[in-house]
Amino acid sequence: MFDWDTIDTVLLDMDGTLLDLHFDNHFWLTLVPQQLSLQRGISPQAAQNLVELAYKKVHGTLDWYCLDYWQQELGLDILTLHYSIAERIQLRQDSMPFLQALGDANKKRILFTNAHPKSLNLKLEHTELASGLDAILSSHESGYPKEHPEFWRHGFEKFNLDPARCLFIDDSEVILAASRRAGVGHQLGIMNPDSKKPNQVFTDFPAIDDYHLLLLDLHST
């Protein structure tokens, strides 16, 4: 799928790419509306409508990914709710073998995530993900989400990267496109970000549903 001799660095999304997105989908689409319904004494459907409207208002912005923003906007203790279901945080079963293979092939492994630092820290606490990474960048450090070109400029400068020799892996076609516009040389989509949902279809980028498909080529580099 890739000529690994042309790739020095692999930039990796976290949620849905290295971790099972089921945790986040359950949290934001089920638990938050449930808690809002209880707190405000409104029907589950009314709470669902309220959060969907709130989500749409800031989708694709840094606020969309900010736990502090949602705590203030919804009046819920978002971080405590995260911890209440922390046992649902799971690595994809193929993530660590892939990260290990990248390390063995002398490829730098950098996490490029929109996750808020508080959410990021919780997920690193509950998984072995950090042991498979060389560096981490949260979009909240750059001040821009991955959808914005300034995020990429910040990341390239921070890690002294040649974007043309980077591979970026993400479960969002929109963000893959943003990386391509920023000059990243290679992209790969993840078709099965949530283990409880059907595979998604990518139209503009190569995509896989199992990192083991890449291991043979990696081991031969």
Side-chain angles (χ1 to χ4, degrees):
M1 187 174 288
F2 299 105
D3 178 358
W4 287 98
D5 290 335
T6 67
I7 297 171
D8 299 327
T9 303
V10 181
L11 310 171
L12 300 125
D13 172 53
M14 182 172 67
D15 299 313
T17 299
L18 294 173
L19 301 185
D20 191 336
L21 193 60
H22 176 65
F23 170 85
D24 293 272
N25 282 338
H26 175 77
F27 183 88
W28 294 106
L29 302 179
T30 301
L31 184 61
V32 165
Q34 284 176 351
Q35 292 299 310
L36 204 62
S37 172
L38 291 171
Q39 184 202 63
R40 301 193 181 183
I42 59 178
S43 71
Q45 187 58 56
Q48 189 76 39
N49 294 342
L50 193 155
V51 297
E52 286 179 5
L53 191 62
Y55 293 165
K56 287 177 184 176
K57 189 167 67 173
V58 294
H59 188 262
T61 71
L62 204 59
D63 282 342
W64 165 260
Y65 304 102
C66 182
L67 299 194
D68 296 330
Y69 171 84
W70 288 115
Q71 183 144 324
Q72 182 174 351
E73 180 73 11
L74 299 176
L76 296 173
D77 190 341
I78 295 294
L79 188 59
T80 297
L81 287 176
H82 265 74
Y83 274 89
S84 74
I85 60 165
E87 75 281 353
R88 289 177 178 261
I89 299 171
Q90 300 288 336
L91 275 162
R92 291 173 54 99
Q93 52 83 26
D94 52 349
S95 291
M96 294 311 293
F98 178 54
L99 292 173
Q100 181 63 52
L102 289 174
D104 292 344
N106 295 313
K107 308 300 180 185
K108 187 178 288 186
R109 305 154 301 178
I110 305 178
L111 192 72
F112 268 22
T113 179
N114 275 328
H116 187 272
K118 293 175 182 175
S119 175
L120 174 59
N121 289 338
L122 173 65
K123 289 167 180 176
L124 294 179
E125 285 173 18
H126 283 79
T127 66
E128 57 178 323
L129 180 58
S131 67
L133 300 169
D134 299 299
I136 295 172
L137 175 64
S138 166
S139 59
H140 295 262
E141 177 188 324
S142 73
Y144 297 91
K146 288 189 294 186
E147 291 87 338
H148 197 286
E150 284 297 328
F151 169 86
W152 297 96
R153 191 170 295 117
H154 177 88
F156 300 153
E157 291 178 0
K158 179 179 176 69
F159 300 110
N160 193 28
L161 300 174
D162 176 357
R165 294 187 61 83
C166 290
L167 163 65
F168 175 56
I169 306 177
D170 200 293
D171 61 297
S172 164
E173 196 150 27
V174 169
I175 298 179
L176 289 172
S179 78
R180 183 165 61 186
R181 290 192 298 271
V184 174
H186 310 272
Q187 285 79 25
L188 179 65
I190 296 300
M191 298 162 60
N192 56 338
D194 184 330
S195 63
K196 304 294 193 293
K197 293 189 174 183
N199 282 11
Q200 56 186 3
V201 176
F202 284 76
T203 57
D204 293 331
F205 299 95
I208 59 171
D209 60 7
D210 191 333
Y211 289 122
H212 289 98
L213 298 171
L214 303 177
L215 296 192
L216 187 60
D217 284 346
L218 259 177
H219 286 316
S220 65
T221 59

